[in-house]
Amino acid sequence: LRSGEFVATIDCKRGGKRKKLVIYMTFEDGRRIVAPTWPRSRYEGLANMEVGSKIRIIYIESSRGNLCVRGAALLASPKKVSASAL
């Protein structure tokens, strides 16, 4: 993975240690990524996005050389399944 913008689908979200929000996602090219986020900036915008949402996620390289999530934008909400379709 490198710095840049990527399109991904949120597969799962869970709470982590020290108030982290851990996001599991699949990029358009099929790569699966685990991204920890912190409460700063409301978890980079990911806190209110639903599982199944298609997002644009921005990674930057920190001064220590680590890749960090620095923002996310909702591209499409997950499709709702109606009760009659089941």
Side-chain angles (χ1 to χ4, degrees), residues 50-69:
E50 298 179 53
V51 170
S53 296
K54 190 171 190 177
I55 62 170
R56 173 161 305 177
I57 189 156
I58 301 166
Y59 279 93
I60 65 163
E61 189 172 337
S62 72
S63 59
R64 294 181 180 174
N66 299 322
L67 284 177
C68 303
V69 175

Side-chain angles (χ1 to χ4, degrees), residues 14-22 36-39 43:
R14 69 173 178 83
K17 293 180 181 180
R18 298 185 185 158
K19 299 183 183 180
K20 281 188 253 183
L21 175 64
V22 181
T37 60
W38 286 261
Y43 301 98

